[in-house]
Structure formats: structure tokens, C-alpha cells
Amino acid sequence: MVPFLIRRVGLMLLTALCLTFIVFWLTNLPPNLEKLAKTQGTVRMTDAQTASWLETRGYARPLPVKYAEWLGLIPAWTYEDSYGNAAGRCIGDGIAPEDAPRRCGVLQGDWGQSSVFREPVSEIIGKRLWLTGKLMFWVLLVMVPSALLIGVLAGMREGSRLDRTLSTFSIATTATPEYVSGVILIAVFASSAVGLKWFNGTATGAMEDATFANFTLPVATIALFGMGYVARMTRAAMAEVMTAQYIRTARLKGLSFGAIVWKHALRNALIAPFTVIMLQIPWLLNGVVIVETLFNYKGFGWTLVQAASNNDVSLLLGCSVVAVVVVLLTQLISDVGYVLLNPRIRIA
Amino acid sequence: METLSWGAIVARLLSQLLPVWIGMAAVFALSFGFKRRLGLYGQLFDSTIGMIGFAIVLFWALTGIFADTIITFDPLQQISGMKNKVPGTPLPEAVAGYRYYLLGGDNLARDVFSRMVSGATIVMQIAPLATLFAFMVGITLGLPAAYYGGRLDTFLSFLANLILAFPVILLFYLLVTPEIVQTGLPTYMAGVLFLFPIIFLVVLWNSRYFTQRGKRAAYLAVTLVLGLWLYLGVAWNADPLGLISVPPNILIVFVSVVFVNSPTVFRIVRGLALDIKTRDYVAAAQTRGEGPWYTMLWEILPNARGPLIVDFCLRIGYTTILLGTLGFFGLGLAPESPDWGTTINDGRKLLSIYPHPAIAPALALMSLVLGLNLLADGLREESLRD
């Protein structure tokens, strides 16, 4: 188990390195840097001015060097203009050039400065992640029990009318991406023209204090899309378990149907959905981006969109590291959990 | 003139879609007639779920094909006074052409119905083709990864997992921007990705007709000439005859969708091939002295077709969702493009006051993906039966 974990964590670090390097490379392509210069400086800069803007801010240097600085492996760049004013990666507001550390990268715990929000990246991500965490908590709280319930009820008696109805429902929810279900839910429940006006169409207020009115629709939108897939997997697992020998034995010895489902089938049927739920979390991240944009809820997904559309290099790198860690960590947990839940499987 | 009632709107919609009904009736009549001779496709008509799914998919496919005769207005035409009008609103007297906006007008006074129908054409052009390309890439890389194993497998799997670790939306934001188009990166990606179908077909024919020189030469020549001609035109926009060219923003959407889908297909193919590799008929082929590519493409691949066909249907649906996501974030396609994602994005700003411009494409997209899911379910059920 321990060598397996070490190998997986090593692979995770390697993936994160490769991935951040790709993001770094793509965001540092010349046209992207020009766009950054023009949005941060003025739109009407000449080419020469753009070049000097990039020069004085340390963008116009070789890519591997910049990447190593971001990681904190080599001393950061400094620049001194003709008036003797020093600037540099580690020199920010409140830090004098003399006291600035030589290296300031991820390894030193410094994630850089966001160029859009003008705040340290770590602060922004911490704040936004908390908001998204709140959203995700409610989504999982709604999604997991209802998906399991639907799956178990459908798989309990395969081919029955209940199974057909619930299966069709779960297919319908997987076929409805968040931007479609969100739009429909808003039109039905929040539209001021024709809708029922039960809930709010935006979730901006939910950032401060989440209420039933402003948080239901975003949570429902994400939960619906994720639910169908988990429910279908649960149904498949449950249907398979119900045909097993020990279920027949239990039935022959005269146990009631409820007792069979509850005591014998359920535990074995819930191994597969556990992995599915863990692997579903990275997909929920995708849904989070769409839903946060649609409902104007300024969480992690919203930040990702802002960072990407403004080519905010540091913030985007921070976001991708978080995303990669979420993806790989859930994979790891699902693998380890699978082994713990199912003693027949061993990993060397 | 008065605003149409819902009954009248539905009647007019149905009559406007007449070519689609005729086409569907023809396809269904023929399929039922020759049901027993059509293999898996024929068996589909034994399952109710499968038939419903097939009907929905066929509906949208035919709508996409006959879009030019179905639409009542040009999808970009703006008619003053029709801004955000409810479904069934009559046109001002002075304007010629069809008398009503059947599904209302959007915030730029364009006809929602015509835009939705034209959107079907775009989706039906890109989604199946992009999925097919992703399958070619996934198969061409997945089979050797599973067959040879070792370093090749480790390397390719790492690459696939790397791409899969990217959140899809981040990848789109990084790849599908005007700045990235300037660098020519999408063209290079297209240059690499579009080589795979040619490689796939060349290897396929070469391994099959290795001993029949004449046939092999003929197949290879046709594939290479046609393939390279299309390749030059589509990927590099350098068709020597000047017939084929793809607008750069369509190309970049296409490439990014193929790029996002291929790693998953790779994983599926690799998993299936790893399982099939241990079967006796593969060992028999190896003992006969067949080459590795023959074994992979003509022994392993045909036996993996069931799950692959099912996944193909599901993946077209997923690709449709991805295209919608791109449109929703305003990436890639032109802002006035009638594709469903862009239209939903347009409509969502006024959603709480005028929901109809966003609802029509939303329902269209949902029904198409639902149809593909039901079709896949029906196929799975029928292919498991025998």
C-alpha cells in the first residue's frame, strides 16, 4: 500500500508539473502577452511601448527561466530603471527592494499577484474556493443520497415499471447539460414574466448568506446533471448484485424482500457507486464553472473564467494547480477506497 | 393580424417541418421492411427505447440536412419591431416573406425558429465528424498501447491522463481564443490530429491486403490521394485545387473538441484491447504468423465493436454538449452564429423577462442528446442479446 501511495503521489506531482508548464507556455505565447500588456496598460500602446512594458515587468525572458522563477527554483528577476527605482517579482507593495527575498515562487509559498484583482493569488483562491466548497457541499448533500436512492430503487427489481420510469429520468438528467437545465429552471422557477417566481435567478446574494430562495437553483442545476450518471451506475451494480447466488439463498430461506435489499444487497451494491461518485467530482468542477457563470456566483469557477479571459497568468496557474490536485486526489481516493471497500482486490 | 395561438403555432411548425416527416417515414418504412437483413441496425427496431432514440436523432439529422427549405427567415436577418416578441407574433405589414415569427424574436429581432433549425445544421456537421476523428485517433493509439504494452503504453497513458486532468473549460479557454489562433497553434494541432485518419486507413488496408499486391496498391492509392487532398485542404488550408477550405473558427472548435475527446476514447480502446488480447483467436492469429497490425485491426478491433458503437453514440451527445459549452462561453464560433450554445448564451441575459429565445435551443440540444443516449441504450440492449 505505501509504495503504491508513494508512486501515485509522485505521478501526481509529475502531472501537475507538466500541466502547469503547458498552461505557463500557452499563457506566455507572444499574442497573449501583448493582450495582457494592452489590457493592463493602455489599449493604444505602440508595439515598441508594448515591448518595453513587457520588458520592465519581466515577461520578455525565456520561458524556462520564467517557469523556474514561478516555481521558486532560481532567484527572481529584478529590474532597475534609469531613475534607480527597483522592480522585481518579489518586490511588491510594502516590500522594499533591500528586504525582498531572492526567490519567491510556489516552493516559497508565494503564488504571485493576480493582474486582474490586484491581490495575492493565494488569498483570492482561498476565498473563492471556500465559496465553491459551500456550493459543492450542498450539491453533494443533495446529489449523493438522491442518486443512490434512485439507483437502488431502480436496480432492486430490474425491468419493472418503477425501474423504467427512474431509468428514463436518470437518462434525461444526464442528457441535460448545466447550461440547459439552468436556463430551463430559471425560466420555470425564477422568470418574472411567465415563471413561478419561487426562487431567485441569481445567486450573488448566496455568497454572503445562502438562503433557500437564492441557493436552490444553482445547487439543483449541478446536482441534476451529476445525479443521472451516478444513479445509472448504482442501478447497474444493484441489478448485478440482485442476481447473485447469496441473494437467492437469502430469498429461499424466507427473508422478506426489504430485509434482503437492506441487509444483503445494499452493502455490496454500494462499492461501485463510491468510485463513480469520487470520479464524478472533477466533472462537477466543470459544472461549477458553468453554473457560477450562469448564476453570477463568484466562486472558484467564476474566478477561473475571469483569469482565463483576461490572461491573468499567475491566477490561472493557481487555478489549474487546484483543479489538477482535485482531479488527481479524487482518483487516488477512489482507488484506495475501492481497495478498502472490496477486500478481493489488492494493489501491489 | 393577431398573434397566433399555441395550437396554430404547433400546426404551422409541423407543416414547416414536412420534409423531415417525409424523410423519417421513408427511413422507418425501409428499415422495418428489411429489418432482418440489416444486422445490429435492424435489431434496433426491436427495442422501443432504441427506436425512440433513433427517431429523435433522425429528426435532428434530417432537420439539419433540410434546414434551407425549413427555415422561414435567414438566421441573421433582423426585422425591426420584432425584438423579443413572443412566439406567434405576426410581422409588420411592410415586410415581405413568411407572415409570422413562429417561435418569437430574439434580442436582435431575429427569428428564433430559423436560428434553431440552422443551429441543427452546424451541430450535425461538427459533432458526428469530430467524434469520428476522435475515435480514429483513440483507436490508432490505443490498440498499439494495449498490444505492445511496456514503455509505449506508459508514455501514451501518461499523456492521455495529462489531458484528462485538465478541466475541459480551462483547456477551451487556453486553446480557443483569437490570440492562440494568431500563433497558428490550432493549425499545427489539426496538422497532427488529422493525420491519424489517414494513418489508420493506410495501416488498415496495408495489413489486410498485404499478400494481394494489386488490391493493396489500389486501396492505398485511393486513400492516400483522397486523404492527403482533404488533409491539405482542411488542416493547412492549402488545397491545390482550391475546392476545400474550412473557416478558421470552425476548424479550431473542431480541433479542440477532437483533442478533448481522444484521450477518453484511447482509454476505452486500450481497456477493451487489453481484455481481448488474451483470447484464443488472437493467439491463433499470432501463431499463423499474422503481423501485429493485422492482429490489432482485423482480429481485436472487430471484436471490440459492440462497446465502441455504443460509446460512439454517447460520445456524439457529449460532443454536442461540449460544442454548446464552447458557445455558452462565447468561444470559437462567431457571436452571431446560430449554433445552440451561442444562442443560449445570447438569450440568458434576458432570461427572466423573455425566456423563449434561450428555451428553444436549450430544448433542441437536450432532445438531441437525450435521443443519442436512448439510441445508445437500445443498441447496448440489443447487442447484449445475442
Side-chain angles (χ1 to χ4, degrees), chain A residues 56 79-87:
Chain A
T56 52
Y79 179 85
E80 202 163 318
D81 64 11
S82 46
Y83 303 105
N85 293 328

Side-chain angles (χ1 to χ4, degrees), chain A residues 121-134:
Chain A
V121 168
S122 45
E123 266 176 42
I124 300 176
I125 290 195
K127 203 165 58 188
R128 302 301 182 191
L129 260 185
W130 192 81
L131 287 173
T132 297
K134 192 162 77 171

Side-chain angles (χ1 to χ4, degrees), chain B residues 56-293:
Chain B
I56 299 175
V57 175
L58 188 66
F59 171 82
W60 284 115
L62 290 171
T63 307
I65 292 169
F66 296 120
D68 287 342
T69 53
I70 295 171
I71 53 172
T72 46
F73 294 91
D74 183 276
L76 299 180
Q77 188 187 357
Q78 306 180 357
I79 294 173
S80 62
M82 297 304 288
K83 194 171 151 183
N84 291 324
K85 284 286 182 278
V86 293
T89 309
L91 250 57
E93 295 293 338
V95 186
Y98 201 79
R99 294 293 353 131
Y100 296 95
Y101 266 12
L102 286 176
L103 291 179
D106 67 4
N107 62 346
L108 288 174
R110 296 168 298 194
D111 182 28
V112 172
F113 172 68
S114 302
R115 286 179 71 74
M116 184 186 77
V117 171
S118 316
T121 317
I122 297 182
V123 170
M124 278 309 193
Q125 270 171 350
I126 300 180
L129 207 60
T131 314
L132 189 67
F133 271 59
F135 263 76
M136 298 263 194
V137 177
I139 290 172
T140 319
L141 294 177
L143 285 177
Y147 190 79
Y148 291 116
R151 293 234 176 103
L152 180 75
D153 184 26
T154 316
F155 174 70
L156 287 176
S157 297
F158 178 73
L159 220 58
N161 288 336
L162 186 65
I163 300 173
L164 287 175
F166 263 106
V168 179
I169 290 171
L170 177 63
L171 205 60
F172 281 157
Y173 258 108
L174 290 174
L175 289 178
V176 195
T177 55
E179 286 77 29
I180 295 284
V181 178
Q182 265 180 43
T183 63
L185 186 72
T187 317
Y188 298 126
M189 282 174 67
V192 174
L193 288 176
F194 291 0
L195 266 183
F196 279 99
I198 304 180
I199 297 175
F200 176 77
L201 286 175
V202 165
V203 177
L204 189 75
W205 302 134
N206 188 41
S207 58
R208 180 71 171 146
Y209 300 111
F210 197 69
T211 48
Q212 294 156 275
R213 289 282 164 79
K215 237 179 177 173
R216 180 174 81 156
Y219 273 109
L220 285 186
V222 170
T223 309
L224 281 175
V225 169
L226 270 180
L228 289 177
W229 175 49
L230 288 171
Y231 176 72
L232 283 177
V234 173
W236 300 101
N237 206 0
D239 176 16
L241 302 177
L243 287 178
I244 304 167
S245 77
V246 178
N249 53 353
I250 298 272
L251 183 73
I252 186 172
V253 166
F254 193 89
V255 169
S256 51
V257 170
V258 172
F259 186 70
V260 169
N261 267 323
S262 325
T264 327
V265 180
F266 166 84
R267 289 228 288 214
I268 295 170
V269 172
R270 179 179 165 274
L272 287 169
L274 273 178
D275 174 30
I276 296 176
K277 196 175 83 167
T278 58
R279 303 283 166 86
D280 286 345
Y281 49 79
V282 174
Q286 283 164 339
T287 326
R288 277 204 312 272
E290 304 284 10
W293 281 102

Side-chain angles (χ1 to χ4, degrees), chain A residues 44-75:
Chain A
R44 284 190 218 90
M45 283 200 287
T46 59
D47 286 354
Q49 282 170 320
T50 311
S52 84
W53 191 92
L54 292 173
E55 182 77 35
T56 52
R57 280 159 186 80
Y59 286 108
R61 285 162 320 114
L63 184 69
V65 177
K66 283 189 281 183
Y67 183 65
E69 279 177 13
W70 177 77
L71 279 178
L73 289 176
I74 59 169

